[in-house]
Amino acid sequence: MQMQESLRNISKWGAFLGYLFIILGGLYALVGLFLFIVGAIPGIISIFLGIYILRSARQAKDLLQEYEEKALAELMLNYAKFLRLLGILMAIGLIINLIAIGFWMFILITGFNTYY
């Protein structure tokens, strides 16, 4: 019973978030193209995240109708891809933020030392 409720939630929220990732990713990519070609990369990655989570939602819906081991394996595979890509993005974001903080601290320290 609890498994069916979890699959229902994955199906419902996964579809909502999947479409949201795809729509917002498209907007980010479009805006990024106007700013700079590299600016479209986060939008494209968001589209891939949306596709993976949407596939997981569809597999969860299929599992609710009829249990198949193949559908469960596909759900887990797409969810694992989603988590892996999101984890890589989070690590890259953390590294970039740490570099930016270090850069600004360097600027502040050297800027204050030249005037005082």
Side-chain angles (χ1 to χ4, degrees):
M1 198 64 149
Q2 188 175 0
M3 178 70 133
Q4 288 179 341
E5 185 63 29
S6 295
L7 288 172
R8 209 172 285 116
N9 283 330
I10 291 170
S11 174
K12 184 182 1 174
W13 284 101
F16 172 73
L17 287 174
Y19 288 123
L20 192 63
F21 267 100
I22 291 170
I23 291 168
L24 291 177
L27 291 173
Y28 295 154
L30 189 62
V31 170
L33 278 176
F34 288 118
L35 298 175
F36 193 63
I37 300 295
V38 177
I41 292 174
I44 293 168
I45 293 172
S46 292
I47 292 171
F48 278 108
L49 287 170
I51 290 169
Y52 292 143
I53 203 72
L54 190 59
R55 286 180 185 169
S56 294
R58 287 184 185 152
Q59 295 302 326
K61 189 174 183 179
D62 289 348
L63 280 170
L64 279 171
Q65 295 170 357
E66 180 182 353
Y67 178 80
E68 289 182 23
E69 200 155 319
K70 182 182 177 188
L72 182 60
E74 286 292 319
L75 184 147
M76 293 297 168
L77 178 68
N78 285 308
Y79 188 60
K81 287 179 182 178
F82 173 81
L83 290 176
R84 185 181 323 123
L85 186 56
L86 193 58
I88 290 168
L89 290 175
M90 297 289 279
I92 290 171
L94 179 65
I95 291 168
I96 289 172
N97 281 320
L98 289 175
I99 290 170
I101 289 170
F103 173 76
W104 285 110
M105 288 181 72
F106 175 76
I107 294 296
L108 287 173
I109 291 169
T110 58
F112 284 132
N113 284 340
T114 55
Y115 293 114
Y116 294 107

